């Protein structure tokens, strides 16, 4: 039986008795039809990944009996994705795929031309958790409430570099720009900012270009949808600056049995 992989907010250590959420208990008991003693893998973004077994509580509840650590917590790139909200199915897709690509934070931004202004943060968070569970990531990105574009720039942290997707043609090709970064720039925390489907307003572009440590880039000769542009920029950054420069771990002999379908 494959181990079901779950995210938990609880601390993890050998011998811990970790209460599962109502939704997790329902999923394990009634969707996956797991019995007591079924194998689990737990992670919380702080203590690595741990083997555990399922313990049933009453008619509806469930807990996890934590045993041994399978992987220690590893450092991940400090990369924010700042994006203008798009329609529901596509914003869900952004949250899911950006989590797979390793972002540390998802920041919706309301720009002048943003059409969709209401964002279901809890839904995005649920998509991010599910994606982290499925892809064996050890953390879940922070999902933030939407902010106005001007507030994003005003509060931008000193020392955090910014990769700006410039749809006007004013940026250098992304591979060229990222390939020429010096050691200090590569080691710095980063953010990527993507405009709405209608593009940034002229004054927004000016404000971005005036920021310190901003790198304006183009994403090739074709016009990309906003959600495609976000993931394309993430992939390029990870390949050139982030953890895609690390080799893919060799699969263990029991890799398939260690993964849970969530």
């Amino acid at each position: 039986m494959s181990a079901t992989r779950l995210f938990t907010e609880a601390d993890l250590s050998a011998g811990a008795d970790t209460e599962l959420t109502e939704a997790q208990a329902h999923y394990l008991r009634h969707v996956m039809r797991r019995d007591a003693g079924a194998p689990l893998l737990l992670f919380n973004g702080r203590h690595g990944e741990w083997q555990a077994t399922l313990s049933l509580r009453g008619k509806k509840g469930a807990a996890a009996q934590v045993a041994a650590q399978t992987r220690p917590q590893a450092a991940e790139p400090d990369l924010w994705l700042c994006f203008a909200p798009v329609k529901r199915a596509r914003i869900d897709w952004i949250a899911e795929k950006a989590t797979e690509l390793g972002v540390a934070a998802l920041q919706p931004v309301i720009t002048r031309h943003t059409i969709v202004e209401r964002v279901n943060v809890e839904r995005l968070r649920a998509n991010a958790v599910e994606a982290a569970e499925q892809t064996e990531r050890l953390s879940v990105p922070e999902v933030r409430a939407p902010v106005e574009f001007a507030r994003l720039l005003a509060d931008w942290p000193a020392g955090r570099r910014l990769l700006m997707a410039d749809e006007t043609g004013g940026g250098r090709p992304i591979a060229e720009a990222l390939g020429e970064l010096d050691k200090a720039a590569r080691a710095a925390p980063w953010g990527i900012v993507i405009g709405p489907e209608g593009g940034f307003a002229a004054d927004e572009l000016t404000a971005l270009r005036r920021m310190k440590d901003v790198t304006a880039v183009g994403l090739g000769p074709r016009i990309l949808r906003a959600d495609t542009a976000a993931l394309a920029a993430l992939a390029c950054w990870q390949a050139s600056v982030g953890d895609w420069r690390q080799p893919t771990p060799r699969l263990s002999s029991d890799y398939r049995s260690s993964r849970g379908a969530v």
Side-chain angles (χ1 to χ4, degrees), residues 4-248:
T4 303
R5 195 164 185 272
L6 297 174
F7 173 77
T8 178
E9 298 282 0
D11 291 340
L12 295 172
S13 62
D17 182 83
T18 302
E19 197 75 21
L20 300 180
T21 67
E22 182 179 340
Q24 289 172 331
H26 174 81
Y27 175 77
L28 291 168
R29 297 182 66 144
H30 303 294
V31 178
M32 298 299 292
R33 297 188 181 278
R34 297 296 197 228
D35 295 322
L40 304 173
L41 287 170
L42 302 182
F43 68 104
N44 61 8
R46 304 185 303 277
H47 303 134
E49 180 184 76
W50 291 75
Q51 290 178 335
T53 55
L54 177 63
S55 175
L56 303 183
R57 302 284 171 85
K59 294 183 179 180
K60 296 182 178 180
Q65 304 298 319
V66 183
Q69 188 182 65
T70 56
R71 287 189 289 162
Q73 193 67 34
E76 297 177 329
D78 185 359
L79 176 63
W80 299 354
L81 176 63
C82 307
F83 63 99
V86 291
K87 293 180 181 178
R88 176 173 168 175
R90 293 189 176 275
I91 197 171
D92 288 350
W93 191 73
I94 288 174
E96 175 186 317
K97 300 308 176 186
T99 299
E100 292 181 30
L101 289 169
V103 298
L106 290 162
Q107 176 63 76
V109 182
I110 307 304
T111 69
R112 182 83 52 79
H113 298 155
T114 298
I115 298 174
V116 179
E117 296 189 1
R118 296 186 63 184
V119 177
N120 187 332
V121 175
E122 290 304 315
R123 180 181 176 87
L124 292 187
R125 167 74 172 174
N127 283 320
V129 168
E130 184 175 352
E133 291 173 341
Q134 290 178 337
T135 57
E136 303 208 353
R137 182 171 170 171
L138 290 174
S139 66
V140 174
E142 179 186 359
V143 181
R144 299 172 178 168
V147 298
E148 295 291 333
F149 176 82
R151 175 53 54 191
L152 176 77
L153 299 196
D155 292 343
W156 195 257
R160 181 172 293 274
R161 299 185 65 94
L162 181 62
L163 187 72
M164 162 194 168
D166 187 349
E167 74 273 11
T168 68
R172 298 170 63 196
I174 187 169
E176 177 183 296
L178 293 178
E180 294 181 2
L181 293 174
D182 60 24
K183 185 176 180 180
R186 289 176 175 276
W190 278 79
I192 295 174
V193 61
I194 304 292
E197 292 176 311
F200 288 115
D203 60 329
E204 292 171 338
L205 286 169
T206 299
L208 282 168
R209 293 187 181 115
R210 287 176 176 170
M211 290 187 67
K212 184 179 180 181
D213 295 330
V214 64
T215 302
V217 298
L219 298 177
R222 288 166 291 279
I223 301 299
L224 304 181
R225 295 183 67 115
D227 49 328
T228 306
L231 301 182
L234 281 173
C236 289
W237 188 92
Q238 284 285 38
S240 181
V241 182
D243 59 13
W244 282 15
R245 294 175 296 159
Q246 301 174 14
T248 300

